[in-house]
Amino acid sequence: MHSTLEEVKLDGMQVKILPALQDNYMYLIVDGKTQEAAVVDPVDPELVIKTVQEAKVNLNKVLTTHHHWDHAGGNEKLVKLWSKELQVYGGDDRIGALNRKVRQDDTFTIGNLNVRCLSTPCHTTGHICYHVTTADGQGEGAVFTGDTLFQGGCGRFFEGTPEEMYEALCTKLASLPDNTKVFCGHEYTLQNMSFARHVEPENESIHKRIEWAKMRRASQDPTVPSTIGEEKSWNPFMRVHESAVQKHAGGQTNPIQVMGNLRKEKDTFKA
């Protein structure tokens, strides 16, 4: 495994971080009161089943962020291997085993936890991020961002435009509470933060996070989660309004143009 298995305890829920493939993350979300659970992007069904059985929780939902095989490729096998019925959520008909198609602002529950769907097309046209909060809305909450928002970066614009990624990052995700925990789809932190440092060499929060992430990776510990507030402080793709970032992007002042210029540069950037 590329990382150790870790559990993050939040108000009213636990999130088990499950490494998969070369650098992917799956997540098991457990409601603290009912022990009902959902899994995000279960590309390694065997590890999911083992974790669920050891934790003695009731898995009944699959939350798929997008259709790419390294996120949705385990859905059909998990449904086949799992003895109970699974509700498979997602925003794209290309997702295997999909039986609950969702759109912007659709809601459902995991036990007593509330889930709100955020439509974030760009990396793929049907990409969904899932915002999970307690029933009373207290506590930090969590957002599962797939390949839209990474720690210090964002996904490639395979099926979308800078306008769409701007809307996803700087309107929808940026409007979540700053203390919301961000659980992204890959362990890309050091590569992303290297580009962030290139964009804003004077940004102290970037330098500190790089040193912290190097220590975490040295012992194969995951660098997730970050928070929405932290991403606003170091992620160049969420800082397209900042003068230092605009200056780096050729002096552009239009944030959408800055977004496009940054992504184009990042596509060929060598850390």
Side-chain angles (χ1 to χ4, degrees), residues 51-104:
T51 306
V52 167
Q53 288 172 341
E54 285 174 0
K56 296 183 171 58
V57 296
N58 176 26
L59 176 68
N60 53 26
K61 292 179 173 72
V62 173
L63 315 187
T64 320
T65 60
H66 62 297
H67 77 278
H68 287 164
W69 75 271
D70 59 321
H71 295 263
N75 284 8
E76 282 159 333
K77 190 173 185 184
L78 180 62
V79 166
K80 206 165 152 184
L81 292 175
W82 196 238
S83 55
K84 296 171 189 168
E85 188 195 344
L86 289 172
Q87 297 171 5
V88 181
Y89 291 82
D92 195 315
D93 291 324
R94 293 172 288 184
I95 291 169
L98 181 75
N99 57 27
R100 297 286 191 283
K101 194 170 182 188
V102 291
R103 296 176 300 181
Q104 174 68 29

Side-chain angles (χ1 to χ4, degrees), residues 169-181:
L169 298 183
C170 302
T171 304
K172 289 178 179 174
L173 290 168
S175 69
L176 299 178
D178 278 352
N179 63 354
T180 305
K181 300 287 188 189

Side-chain angles (χ1 to χ4, degrees), residues 163-202:
E163 286 88 348
E164 287 177 317
M165 191 57 85
Y166 178 83
E167 171 79 5
L169 298 183
C170 302
T171 304
K172 289 178 179 174
L173 290 168
S175 69
L176 299 178
D178 278 352
N179 63 354
T180 305
K181 300 287 188 189
V182 177
F183 293 92
C184 61
H186 291 268
E187 182 55 67
Y188 287 165
T189 301
L190 282 171
Q191 302 97 303
N192 285 338
M193 292 305 251
S194 179
F195 179 70
R197 180 176 58 193
H198 169 69
V199 174
E200 283 192 280
E202 307 293 310

Side-chain angles (χ1 to χ4, degrees), residues 24-25 66 74 80 112 124 134 148 161 178 213 223 230 241 261:
N24 278 70
Y25 284 122
H66 62 297
K80 206 165 152 184
N112 288 334
T124 67
T134 56
T148 291
T161 63
D178 278 352
T223 61
E230 286 173 334
H241 293 275
N261 287 8

